[in-house]
Amino acid sequence: MLSLSDASRVVEEALKTAREMNLPPMTVAVLDARGCLVSFKMEDGSSLLREQIARAKAWSALGMGMGTRTLMSRAAHHPSFFVALSSLAEGSMVPVPGGVLVRSQEGAVIGAVGVSGDVPDKDEACALAGIRSVNLVADPGAA
């Protein structure tokens, strides 16, 4: 189970990493394994759609059972499938890095983190830092 305490620390560490990297205002969403929002922060100055993007990145990872880096690779090879997925997901399918599965030390999926605010690779770096700060396993997928 992904606790509220751990989810909150993930958000704080992801935002701290963004500040260290001098990124624009960031948005971080942490979902549990059911897809329910556990912790969320949107920095002052974050643009309008960042909330939906961060949540959709996390939801995409959970919904497909793989990090969004893998989804990006698959979308490049099967664009028609991802158009259909986006429709089924009512627009909540974002197949770009920044949606990272959270796994227990035993490998079970216990949640996902979505970060939005900069380019996908930097969003993902913030998510990874947040997850690792609570000694859980980050699974961004593979290219």
Side-chain angles (χ1 to χ4, degrees), residues 49-72:
L49 290 175
R50 295 298 177 186
E51 175 187 0
Q52 291 92 331
I53 296 167
R55 286 179 74 152
K57 285 182 177 183
W59 192 90
S60 297
L62 280 174
M64 294 301 292
M66 60 190 74
T68 55
R69 182 165 293 280
T70 298
L71 295 180
M72 179 180 68

Side-chain angles (χ1 to χ4, degrees), residues 2-142:
L2 182 61
S3 70
L4 174 60
S5 175
D6 282 349
S8 296
R9 287 177 45 208
V10 166
V11 170
E12 292 302 326
E13 188 63 29
L15 293 176
K16 178 183 169 204
T17 300
R19 290 307 101 240
E20 290 169 354
M21 295 172 65
N22 199 32
L23 300 181
M26 302 297 282
T27 301
V28 183
V30 180
L31 308 181
D32 65 15
R34 302 168 299 159
C36 295
L37 185 65
V38 178
S39 187
F40 174 84
K41 279 196 178 180
M42 186 173 199
E43 289 185 310
D44 295 343
S46 289
S47 60
L48 183 62
L49 290 175
R50 295 298 177 186
E51 175 187 0
Q52 291 92 331
I53 296 167
R55 286 179 74 152
K57 285 182 177 183
W59 192 90
S60 297
L62 280 174
M64 294 301 292
M66 60 190 74
T68 55
R69 182 165 293 280
T70 298
L71 295 180
M72 179 180 68
S73 176
R74 290 187 178 191
H77 292 95
H78 306 286
S80 297
F81 178 68
F82 278 84
V83 168
L85 276 180
S86 184
S87 178
L88 289 170
E90 299 177 354
S92 292
M93 184 60 57
V94 180
V96 298
V100 180
L101 289 175
V102 180
R103 294 184 181 274
S104 68
Q105 292 296 328
E106 297 76 33
V109 174
I110 59 172
V113 177
V115 178
S116 181
D118 202 88
V119 297
D121 288 339
K122 291 180 181 178
D123 292 349
E124 181 182 85
C126 294
L128 294 172
I131 296 165
R132 291 177 181 146
S133 75
V134 294
N135 298 313
L136 293 171
V137 179
D139 180 0

